[in-house]
Amino acid sequence: MLCNLLSEYKHLYNKEINIRPDQPENIICLLLPCKPNVGIRHNIVRHRGSIVMQNRLAARYSGEVYLVKHDLPFEARSNVIGFVSSEYVNLFDQINTNKLKLSMKKARNNTF
């Protein structure tokens, strides 16, 4: 999946990432190690295709990463760290969480 990430999250590129089997309706939760005390930064409206990391206001959920399937309102606990290229966003509706993995690839158009 092509995407653009803030520079401090470039370590997520080209990494095979599992998707959690228990999924809420509006997001796709990724299985990545949690990071305690993530700073509060870039917490804006979360549009479809946003890549989000929970910050320290989310307490024990700090560092959790997810993809936004449907537009969501501003949430102080959520930092937008990137976005998925538009040609891949419609695939969100087709994701079956049964042992699915994805890999984030840097898009050529780095407008984030």
Side-chain angles (χ1 to χ4, degrees), residues 5-12 35 41-42 53 81:
L5 295 166
L6 292 172
S7 60
E8 61 263 39
Y9 299 102
K10 64 183 178 185
H11 64 277
L12 295 175
K35 294 172 60 177
R41 178 171 184 246
H42 212 253
M53 179 179 283
I81 64 167

Side-chain angles (χ1 to χ4, degrees), residues 17-57:
I17 302 169
N18 289 314
I19 295 177
R20 283 181 41 183
D22 55 328
Q23 294 296 322
E25 185 177 333
N26 293 318
I27 62 175
I28 299 166
C29 299
L30 306 182
L31 275 173
L32 290 166
C34 285
K35 294 172 60 177
N37 298 314
V38 170
I40 300 166
R41 178 171 184 246
H42 212 253
N43 50 358
I44 57 175
V45 172
R46 299 161 292 160
H47 293 288
R48 179 174 166 84
S50 295
I51 303 168
V52 176
M53 179 179 283
Q54 296 295 90
N55 62 43
R56 68 174 163 251
L57 296 176

Side-chain angles (χ1 to χ4, degrees), residues 23-29 46-50 66-72 89-97:
Q23 294 296 322
E25 185 177 333
N26 293 318
I27 62 175
I28 299 166
C29 299
R46 299 161 292 160
H47 293 288
R48 179 174 166 84
S50 295
Y66 61 86
L67 310 175
V68 177
K69 290 171 68 173
H70 305 284
D71 288 352
L72 297 171
V89 173
N90 287 333
L91 295 175
F92 288 2
D93 299 326
Q94 307 302 316
I95 289 180
N96 176 343
T97 58

